[in-house]
Structure formats: structure tokens, C-alpha cells
Amino acid sequence: MPPGIVVAAPASSAGKTTFTVGLIGALRRQGIKVAAAKCGPDYIDTQYLETASGRPAYNLDGWAMPDETLCAAAAAASCGECDALVVEGAMGVLDGAGMSGRGSTADVAAALAMPLVMVVDISRLAQTAMLAPVGLKQLRPSLELAGVVLNNVKSRRHLELACSGIRDAGIPLLGWMPSRPELSVGSRHLGLVAVADNAAASRTIDRIADQVAETVDLTAVQQVMSSRKTSHGRLESVAMRPPGQTIAIANDRAFSFKYWHMIDGWRQQGSSVEFFSPLGDEAPSRSADAVYLPGGYPELHASRLAAATRFRMGMHEASRRGCVVYGECGGYMALGRELQDASGKFHEMLGLLPHSTSFHEPKLHIGYRTLECTPNAPVAGSYFGHEHHHASVTGPKTGAGLFKAHDADGNCLGCIGHVSGSVCGSFAHIVCRRNEEHP
């Protein structure tokens, strides 16, 4: 892997994504080839990292991936040709899955043997800004905390007050970011607004890169990047078993939540992949023996999906010829009978599975999952995954389930998802294959 850093924070919404995309943009302007990755299962942040870096951004999941395969994904992100790897953390630096907190940003940094840079939001702090970095050094002394970037600085006096505490703690200050609305991107019900739905994403990243170049010591940041050698395996050991030899993958604004380590793993196992757009009313290729509908935002495009006749006919034809059809979250919703949007309107979906879904009374479902395929499933294996959605299954709970599921603490959740012949899906997103060495 190339030299790199992990960007952490004491809490969510501290400005990790803002600083990370700005740093990537500023480094690229200096002629540095930068690879990007995201801690945890988040799909939307990676879209901003991809826009900033100009290359696919990989997910590094410390809960789902053993250290060796986590490092394999990090190495794949750099493609063997990048000068630096910038990894954006998730939530607070010590926040992980379940009661154990396994898989936190700190755990990922330790596995990668990379230094941490902590972004501290001081919008409601001054000298207390030093509390989180000092606490991290005491709780995880084996980690290398390379420095702090202060975010949401309101004035020169505010910066001086916060810096005094940082200096007293002996922690390097690498820079700061002002409190300016134009340096942020919008949010909605699953986090940030997806890049495809944010026309100003590239311009916003450019503005943030301008700010980082002005108020962050880029030379100091590059100096703290380490180039430690880390052994790693192959992504084929991480990925879900390929559902077919030729896999057609839905890929557009309605179905954009895919993991590059999964797709690369399928390729390493000998499968070929091709993309198609349901929103463009495209059908999966007739040469495909498997169809994958990833998650995304079908609820925002339900009318167009309901009117996409070629897509509908192609999916039914694929099912009739025995293709394995697999849908995750948004893809699972599209495979059902109906989707009720937040306004209460019903939209006809593909009807390849017996369930319906609704956003009319949104309820947050979130958490890591251990998933064991049921005997009826057209796919096989045991996996680590996660759920993050506001939709719920409505109507009769008929049909066979796809997975036997447990949460991160081992509590049984029963069977989730549906299976009908060669068609299957659930709200869970698969992250990684499970093995006995990584319980």
C-alpha cells in the first residue's frame, strides 16, 4: 500500500467528509495520485471520495473483514499506482459494532498501521477541543495520533483559544477549517445527498480543496503519512460467491449502492460483470446468467421504474430462464409487488417476490448482521452484512426467507428477505464472506 492517513473524529457530523474530500482535492492539485477509502459500510460518502479522487473508493470494514482482507481491499483501492491513500473514518473514532465496539475507525487504523488525523468540530468548544485527542491517546496509546484539524472555526480569537488547549496537550495542529455554509453538502434520510443528485458536488469539492490548501499544512500532512508494509490477501476471499458466470448489475441513480471489493472479488473468481440502467429502461443482457439489483433510492424514482416496460420485461424474462436474480435493500424493494412512497402513493414494482414495502410511516432499521443463506436460497454461504433503511415490509409475510439473521451481539432476528424460485432478496447488504477464523 502507498503512504496514507486515516481521518477520524470524536463524533459523527464533525466534518470528516468535508476535510477528506478537500484534502484529496488539494493533494491532487500538487500532482499527487490519491486513492480513497471509507471505514465501514457507508455507500454515499464513497461517492464523494470517488468524485474527489477520480477513481473508485473502497469500503474497509473492520467488523466484517479480517485484517488481512481489509488490507487487501485497501491495497486494491490504490491499484498499485497511487502515491497516497486517504481513508475516511466512520462515526466517532472508537465507535464500532454492538457492545464490543469492534470495527471502529481506530481498529481500521491499527490494522492498516496508518496514523490518525482527528477532525474536531469546535463550533461549541474552545479550549475543550483538546479533550477528545488527549482521551484517544490515553485510551489507545498504540495508535499514532499525528495531529488535529479544527473545523467550524468562527473567528481568529476562537481559533487562538482552541489552539491553546491543543498546544498544551502537545498535539500537533495541522490546520483548521472555517464555519462556512458553502463548504458543506446536503443531507437526507440516509445521510449525505448522493453525488448523482447533487449538481453542485464537484464545485463544492473544489471550494473545499481551495480552503484546505489555504488553511491546512499540506506539507505536514504528507510528512505524517507512513509507508509501512502490510501483508494482504486477495479480494476473492472477501467477496460473496458469484451468483453467476456473467453478472448483469443495475447501475444508475436508483441503484448505486455497490461495493467495489465485491465486484473485483467476483472478477477474481472468474466471473464477468456488465452494467445496465433500469431508469434508462434498459433490460439486463440476455447473455447474463445472474442479475444483481443493488441498493439505492428506488423510492425517489418509483414512478419511472414503474413505467420502465423494457426493464420489467427483461427482468421477468431473466427469471423465466432461471437466472439467479438477487436484490439488496433498494433492489429488494424493486423486486416486490408495490412500493409506497413517503406521500402514501403506491407504485407497481416488478412483482418477482411476494412482498410490498412502504415509506409512509418511516422507521429506521440499522445495524450489522450475520447472515446464513437458507436451504431454499439460489445463493449459498454465510456472510457479514448490514441494514440501513427507513422502509418496512407490508402485507402478508408469505414466502420462504433468504437469510437466517443475527445482529452484531449475536441476537437472533429470525429469517429475513424472500426467495421465489431463482429470485431472492432482502434489506441486508452483504459486505464480506464469513469464515470460521473470523466469528
Side-chain angles (χ1 to χ4, degrees):
M1 287 183 290
I5 59 169
V6 177
V7 179
S12 297
S13 302
K16 294 188 300 293
T17 304
T18 298
F19 171 69
T20 302
V21 299
L23 175 63
I24 291 170
L27 291 174
R28 288 186 68 192
R29 291 176 183 178
Q30 296 186 350
I32 299 171
K33 294 181 180 179
V34 185
K38 170 70 180 181
C39 292
D42 187 283
Y43 290 99
I44 302 175
D45 287 3
T46 55
Q47 296 176 7
Y48 284 88
L49 298 177
E50 289 176 359
T51 302
S53 65
R55 62 183 63 244
Y58 284 61
N59 291 78
L60 310 178
D61 199 300
W63 183 80
M65 297 177 178
D67 287 356
E68 184 185 43
T69 47
L70 187 148
C71 292
S78 68
C79 304
E81 62 182 29
C82 292
D83 306 310
L85 173 63
V86 178
V87 181
E88 181 192 347
M91 301 184 295
V93 63
L94 297 178
D95 296 331
M99 298 301 294
S100 68
R102 194 182 86 207
S104 67
T105 298
D107 290 342
V108 172
L112 299 176
M114 285 185 178
L116 281 165
V117 171
M118 181 174 282
V119 177
V120 180
D121 177 6
I122 63 167
S123 56
R124 294 176 176 83
L125 303 174
Q127 290 91 338
T128 309
M130 50 83 71
L131 191 60
V134 168
L136 179 64
K137 289 185 69 173
Q138 292 180 350
L139 290 170
R140 299 290 286 268
S142 61
L143 290 175
E144 179 185 350
L145 179 57
V148 169
V149 173
L150 301 178
N151 189 33
N152 285 321
V153 176
K154 297 178 180 179
S155 66
R156 176 60 61 178
R157 178 60 174 169
H158 188 202
L159 177 63
E160 291 172 350
L161 291 171
C163 286
S164 66
I166 299 293
R167 283 194 299 267
D168 290 345
I171 299 171
L173 178 68
L174 299 175
W176 58 277
M177 302 280 287
S179 179
R180 288 170 51 192
E182 63 269 26
L183 299 180
S184 63
V185 296
S187 298
R188 59 186 176 198
H189 58 283
L190 291 182
L192 299 180
V193 175
V195 167
D197 296 325
N198 184 354
S202 294
R203 294 194 299 274
T204 300
I205 291 173
D206 284 340
R207 286 196 295 267
I208 299 169
D210 291 339
Q211 185 64 56
V212 168
E214 180 181 343
T215 56
V216 175
D217 188 341
L218 295 177
T219 300
V221 171
Q222 292 176 64
Q223 288 174 347
V224 302
M225 289 183 178
S226 61
S227 56
R228 301 179 179 90
K229 293 182 180 179
T230 307
S231 62
H232 57 82
R234 287 170 58 82
L235 288 176
E236 65 182 33
S237 65
V238 185
M240 173 185 179
R241 291 181 175 87
Q245 188 64 35
T246 302
I247 307 169
I249 302 176
N251 184 46
D252 55 28
R253 292 167 67 184
F255 304 99
S256 60
F257 291 178
K258 58 188 179 297
Y259 290 131
W260 286 111
H261 70 260
M262 191 73 70
I263 295 173
D264 285 353
W266 286 343
R267 288 170 171 151
Q268 287 185 12
Q269 293 176 81
S271 295
S272 61
V273 301
E274 50 192 37
F275 298 97
F276 70 102
S277 171
L279 286 182
D281 201 9
E282 296 176 355
S285 169
R286 290 179 178 270
S287 64
D289 58 349
V291 181
Y292 171 40
L293 300 184
Y297 289 102
E299 68 273 20
L300 302 181
H301 308 279
S303 295
R304 286 181 62 186
L305 290 173
T309 55
R310 282 190 292 271
F311 167 57
R312 176 183 299 275
M313 293 172 61
M315 292 296 295
H316 279 264
E317 192 274 332
S319 174
R320 285 194 296 270
R321 70 172 186 267
C323 279
V324 174
V325 178
Y326 170 63
E328 290 186 334
C329 202
Y332 173 57
M333 290 187 268
L335 290 172
R337 296 180 182 275
E338 289 182 317
L339 189 159
Q340 185 183 26
D341 62 26
S343 70
K345 184 178 180 181
F346 289 90
H347 304 270
E348 184 181 4
M349 293 289 104
L350 294 171
L352 292 172
L353 290 177
H355 68 290
S356 296
T357 51
S358 175
F359 286 86
H360 191 50
E361 296 181 358
K363 178 183 178 182
L364 179 61
H365 304 79
I366 187 170
Y368 279 109
R369 304 287 183 254
T370 301
L371 306 166
E372 182 73 36
C373 292
T374 63
N376 296 315
V379 293
S382 180
Y383 302 98
F384 292 115
H386 74 98
E387 287 188 63
H388 187 188
H389 59 93
H390 287 80
S392 298
V393 172
T394 59
K397 304 293 191 297
T398 60
L402 174 59
F403 296 122
K404 295 177 181 177
H406 292 77
D407 68 15
D409 292 316
N411 299 308
C412 182
L413 303 176
C415 282
I416 63 173
H418 285 89
V419 174
S420 178
S422 64
V423 182
C424 61
S426 80
F427 275 120
H429 302 268
I430 288 178
V431 176
C432 178
R433 186 186 299 179
R434 185 185 180 197
N435 57 54
E436 293 181 358
E437 290 75 29
H438 186 52

